[in-house]
Amino acid sequence: MRILVIGSGGREHALLHAMQGHELTVAPGNAGMSRLATVRSVDVASPDEIVALARDTEAELVVIGPEVPLVAGAADALIAAGIPVFGPTKAAAQLEGSKAFAKDVMASAGVLTASATRVEAVEDVEAALDQYGPRYVVKDDGLAGGKGVVVTEDRAEARAHAEAVLAAGNPVLFESFLEGPEVSLFCLVDGETVVPLLPAQDHKRAFDGDAGPNTGGMGAYAPLPWLPEGGVERIVDEIARPVAAEMVRRGIPYQGLLYIGAAWRPEGPAVVEFNARFGDPETQAVLSLLETPLAEVLLAVAEGHLSEVGELQWRDGFAAMVVLAAEGYPQAAKTGGAITGEALDDPAKVLHAGTALEGGEYVASGGRVLGVVGQGATLEEAVGNAYRVIEGIELPGSFYRSDIARPAIEGAISL
Ligand code: GLY
């Protein structure tokens, strides 16, 4: 099958790796992907350019990695052109594109989530701060490339974020804080059919011990040894299926990947956020354990017959993924440094995110440079295998977290 993947990060590198054996094109891609796919350029925010590239490559399936093309309407344009696409329409992608829309859908579907207040004027910020806290959750209502959410006990910081979002012309959502460890559950959704992948957890803060600023994600692991028996089924039954049914009821059926970020509270799961796409970095860990051929499953969603696919098959054991970040990430990542080491060209171990080739050598071209994936019979073994590889990679000034999955391994995650 000829497949076009849109995107350029570690997530897309993992998608390509899981679809090997097909004729793969990726755009805009990155240097590390050129061994698996033809790398082309595209403006990911332009549905017209994506359709033109899909036609040019005679794609039989287009897989859209990031949220920006989805919210811009790339899936709608591909559907109109008669090209099968994995990814929701613009209207359905509002589950990620507008947090207020997602809250409304959850309210109609009877899905548990944090209570929230939408604020559009700066003079209403103080009243919202009075209502919430002592831990403030302040969200940009629109897409913000992972920079939209601030969780803080510092009222001044919460106020400053709200004012900055409003100044940029977006509404702000104030939310109650949901206690409990977070689960990322990716669900394939085709209308009312839901097929879950393995549950995962990411590490969003920059430094060990969950210190430092929020990032796009510094590492992840899957599955979750601490999740109660039947946990995945509860998230599917209490969140994914009711939301999928509500989207059908509204006449905007969801087709693609619904990423459920849930807090596991004593009474069970409650939604922290939805995304309309695979998560990064969890995808890199999750897909490394998938045995079912991915391309056929994504095509089944695109063509509307996911119900014929059944349960996905997984390798036993665990996977862990550790991100190597450039100096200064996430505030001001230093790019251009040379990356050296073994396994840089082995996509079973190293998935590229922000890399470019200069004179035949890899250099850093983004904040999250690459991610290393390890598997093992135990989570500890999986993590150990990932660290052994990352220790052999050199990029001056770079850093990585040394405690990926550590709380889970030590049994320190309490429910
Ligand atoms: N893992 C966070 C995200 O993909 O948004």
Side-chain angles (χ1 to χ4, degrees):
M1 183 165 37
R2 285 182 299 277
I3 304 173
L4 169 63
V5 174
I6 301 297
S8 62
R11 165 184 53 208
E12 287 75 21
H13 201 180
L15 288 166
L16 293 170
H17 182 53
M19 297 193 291
Q20 280 181 94
H22 294 277
E23 207 178 306
L24 302 171
T25 302
V26 63
N30 67 45
M33 297 175 180
S34 56
R35 285 172 191 268
L36 293 176
T38 304
V39 181
R40 299 279 300 264
S41 60
V42 79
D43 174 1
V44 297
S46 166
D48 289 346
E49 276 197 30
I50 291 172
V51 170
L53 183 58
R55 286 207 173 106
D56 191 49
T57 57
E58 296 178 24
E60 294 158 285
L61 172 67
V62 179
V63 178
I64 300 184
E67 61 277 19
V68 166
L70 295 167
V71 171
D76 309 65
L78 288 159
I79 291 165
I83 301 167
V85 54
F86 179 84
T89 58
K90 180 176 179 164
Q94 288 305 303
L95 280 181
E96 174 166 1
S98 165
K99 295 180 176 46
F101 173 82
K103 290 281 179 202
D104 191 55
V105 169
M106 283 187 268
S108 306
V111 167
L112 272 183
T113 185
S115 57
T117 301
R118 189 169 189 259
V119 169
E120 293 186 38
V122 78
E123 51 274 21
D124 297 330
V125 167
E126 283 304 321
L129 289 168
D130 288 344
Q131 190 183 341
Y132 292 94
R135 199 170 303 176
Y136 303 96
V137 180
V138 186
K139 296 184 175 178
D140 186 331
D141 184 50
L143 289 184
K147 299 194 182 85
V149 182
V150 163
V151 180
T152 179
E153 290 175 18
D154 180 343
R155 187 173 168 120
E157 189 189 352
R159 183 190 303 112
H161 182 60
E163 288 175 358
V165 172
L166 289 167
N170 285 345
V172 177
L173 231 60
F174 288 85
E175 287 193 4
S176 55
F177 180 74
L178 292 174
E179 291 285 353
E182 280 192 29
V183 183
S184 299
L185 186 70
F186 301 161
C187 293
L188 298 161
V189 178
D190 167 18
E192 297 209 26
T193 306
V194 175
V195 175
L197 279 70
L198 290 181
Q201 189 179 53
D202 71 351
H203 295 262
K204 292 199 174 87
R205 300 275 178 172
F207 309 127
D208 283 8
D210 287 334
N214 255 328
T215 70
M218 293 296 292
Y221 63 96
L224 306 177
W226 49 266
L227 196 66
E229 180 90 22
V232 167
E233 290 74 16
R234 279 195 68 182
I235 297 173
V236 169
D237 290 345
E238 297 173 26
I239 300 169
R241 284 213 181 89
V243 165
E246 174 60 19
M247 295 295 279
V248 170
R249 196 190 65 75
R250 290 181 180 219
I252 40 174
Y254 196 94
Q255 265 179 319
L257 196 290
L258 179 64
Y259 165 143
I260 297 170
W264 197 277
R265 305 188 304 164
E267 58 273 44
V271 174
V272 175
E273 65 171 352
F274 288 136
N275 292 311
R277 44 148 182 101
F278 283 95
D280 190 339
E282 299 97 312
T283 298
Q284 293 88 310
V286 169
L287 290 186
S288 78
L289 296 173
L290 181 66
E291 273 184 345
T292 307
L294 181 68
E296 284 72 9
V297 175
L298 302 188
L299 182 67
V301 174
E303 293 185 334
H305 50 85
L306 178 63
S307 58
E308 292 163 22
V309 166
E311 276 185 23
L312 303 178
Q313 301 304 311
W314 301 94
R315 271 183 272 288
D316 289 338
F318 295 84
M321 189 283 183
V322 183
V323 168
L324 183 80
E327 181 179 348
Y329 177 75
Q331 290 94 344
K334 190 173 157 199
T335 57
I339 312 160
T340 52
E342 284 179 24
L344 284 175
D345 286 317
D346 180 355
K349 292 182 179 153
V350 177
L351 295 164
H352 291 234
T355 67
L357 275 172
E358 273 180 20
E361 304 290 333
Y362 286 116
V363 296
S365 62
R368 286 193 293 176
V369 178
L370 52 81
V372 172
V373 182
Q375 292 96 10
T378 64
L379 188 51
E380 191 156 27
E381 198 180 310
V383 170
N385 286 335
Y387 280 119
R388 247 187 301 288
V389 174
I390 209 166
E391 279 158 15
I393 296 176
E394 290 294 326
L395 166 63
S398 65
F399 67 98
Y400 56 85
R401 276 184 65 157
S402 66
D403 63 348
I404 299 304
R406 185 57 46 200
I409 291 166
E410 290 175 351
I413 298 185
S414 56
L415 300 172

